[in-house]
Amino acid sequence: GVKEAVLLDNAVACLRNVCCGSPDICEQVGAAGGVSVLASLVSQGSHETPPPWCLEELMVNALFCLANLSLECDANRVHVLQSGITQRTMLVAGKGAVEGGAKRPSEAACLLLQSLSLNPRCRLRLVERDCVRLMFDVMSSPGAAPGQVAGTAGTVLHLSRTAGQTQKYVALGGLVLTAKMLYESSHPAALKTLLELVMALAADDEHRRALMQEGAVRATLNLLDQQRRSPVPICELACECLALFAADPGAKLHMQKIGVEKVLSEFGDAKQNRFKSERVSHASRLALSLLSRLPPPQQA
């Protein structure tokens, strides 16, 4: 009955928290058959008519739990793939992209896809099912939730290791979307994967300039604003991202104009900067030296 369903849900929620960030526990849970049990909860819970004991919250917690288990352990990614719920997971993720669609199940599904996409075999399966387009649709849906943004950006980042997937994302309008989401997001998990995605996309000269035109550099600089109180790991990534753009001679004028040097000049000393972070000071010094020694771009 309902009582058992609530107990089961509490047990899965507890497991979800226990395995978060612990590779050892994730391996043990997987080896004990935990992935198969959770996958069957997802399978039953995502049916048109789920059994009465399988509450939506239970399916959502099972997805979150699988996302945690698969993030830390490759064997678990393979277990999930073999359990046959990849298409179900994509379906649940996509439902959150339609107007009025449930955001929370979609968040959990997107985070699971992000974990799965770390494995080459899983990537192949996701590419076959046009996952990049799905991730674009979910990320660009109105009022996308933090887990949707984090999961979709992370999945696109991992899928970009497969030939043709970055081009597909860019062709859909991915550069504009990534810059826009970086500007609008405030949740650390979403900002982390967005910054990582920006850095991966910016490896290409053309993409880097397009990102700059769309405001990605300005959005990254905004994260360092004292009022934002961004967590230190986000500020570290933001400084590294700015250093990557600073290496492009074509970015110099833009970066000077928006005041990058003024902001970064405060961070050069790890003991003095407000983050007490060596990564921040190293990246800041690198960006400043790149900006100061580049010749101005040739006037056409």
Side-chain angles (χ1 to χ4, degrees):
V2 173
K3 208 154 129 201
E4 287 85 348
V6 172
L7 273 175
L8 187 56
D9 181 41
N10 287 343
V12 173
C14 178
L15 182 62
R16 168 192 167 183
N17 293 333
V18 167
C19 66
C20 184
S22 169
D24 289 353
I25 293 175
C26 288
E27 276 176 35
Q28 286 166 21
V29 172
V35 170
S36 320
V37 174
L38 291 162
S40 90
L41 292 177
V42 170
S43 183
Q44 296 185 66
S46 58
H47 264 299
E48 286 304 305
T49 50
W53 57 267
C54 196
L55 310 170
E56 183 180 71
E57 192 53 31
L58 175 61
M59 179 194 72
V60 170
N61 272 323
L63 282 166
F64 274 123
C65 196
L66 286 169
N68 288 347
L69 288 167
S70 309
L71 185 64
E72 303 291 346
C73 170
D74 194 56
N76 288 343
R77 290 172 209 137
V78 177
H79 283 323
V80 174
L81 186 66
Q82 288 165 343
S83 75
I85 60 161
T86 315
Q87 200 166 0
R88 278 281 159 83
T89 305
M90 289 179 69
L91 211 71
V92 174
K95 278 183 178 168
V98 288
E99 205 163 335
K103 298 285 184 210
R104 213 170 126 67
S106 177
E107 285 188 282
C110 290
L111 291 168
L112 175 53
L113 292 171
Q114 178 187 353
S115 297
L116 293 178
S117 60
L118 285 161
N119 174 281
R121 276 174 59 198
C122 295
R123 278 202 293 278
L124 215 60
R125 179 69 54 87
L126 295 175
V127 165
E128 280 168 10
R129 298 179 191 265
D130 205 5
C131 190
V132 162
R133 179 178 291 275
L134 175 69
M135 296 297 94
F136 179 87
D137 290 345
V138 175
M139 198 195 297
S140 58
S141 62
Q148 289 179 303
V149 179
T152 52
T155 305
V156 171
L157 174 69
H158 300 152
L159 292 177
S160 69
R161 299 177 196 175
T162 306
Q165 297 307 297
T166 300
Q167 285 73 6
K168 180 178 271 189
Y169 180 67
V170 170
L172 288 165
L175 298 174
V176 178
L177 178 63
T178 306
K180 175 177 178 277
M181 297 318 293
L182 189 58
Y183 212 81
E184 292 176 1
S185 298
S186 58
H187 194 280
L191 289 169
K192 178 182 183 290
T193 54
L194 285 166
L195 284 166
E196 288 170 348
L197 181 57
V198 166
M199 289 166 83
L201 292 167
D204 176 279
D205 291 354
E206 223 176 293
H207 298 164
R208 184 168 60 249
R209 307 224 164 133
L211 282 165
M212 194 166 68
Q213 281 169 343
E214 294 303 334
V217 179
R218 192 186 290 269
T220 304
L221 187 64
N222 282 352
L223 296 173
L224 298 167
D225 185 334
Q226 206 150 0
Q227 266 59 59
R228 284 289 292 260
R229 294 207 165 80
S230 303
V232 174
I234 296 302
C235 294
E236 289 175 336
L237 270 176
C239 289
E240 285 164 5
C241 190
L242 290 171
L244 190 132
F245 278 93
D248 181 350
K252 180 172 182 170
L253 284 175
H254 173 71
M255 293 182 85
Q256 283 175 331
K257 200 164 82 184
I258 63 173
V260 170
E261 287 164 309
K262 184 178 177 296
V263 174
L264 293 186
S265 61
E266 298 169 21
F267 304 153
D269 184 337
K271 292 186 181 63
Q272 297 295 314
N273 74 48
R274 66 174 194 264
F275 308 108
K276 306 282 178 278
S277 158
E278 193 50 63
R279 266 179 75 183
V280 164
S281 64
H282 176 75
S284 300
R285 288 197 304 270
L286 175 62
L288 289 168
S289 75
L290 286 164
L291 287 170
S292 65
R293 75 157 184 263
L294 291 172
Q298 294 299 306
Q299 295 302 313

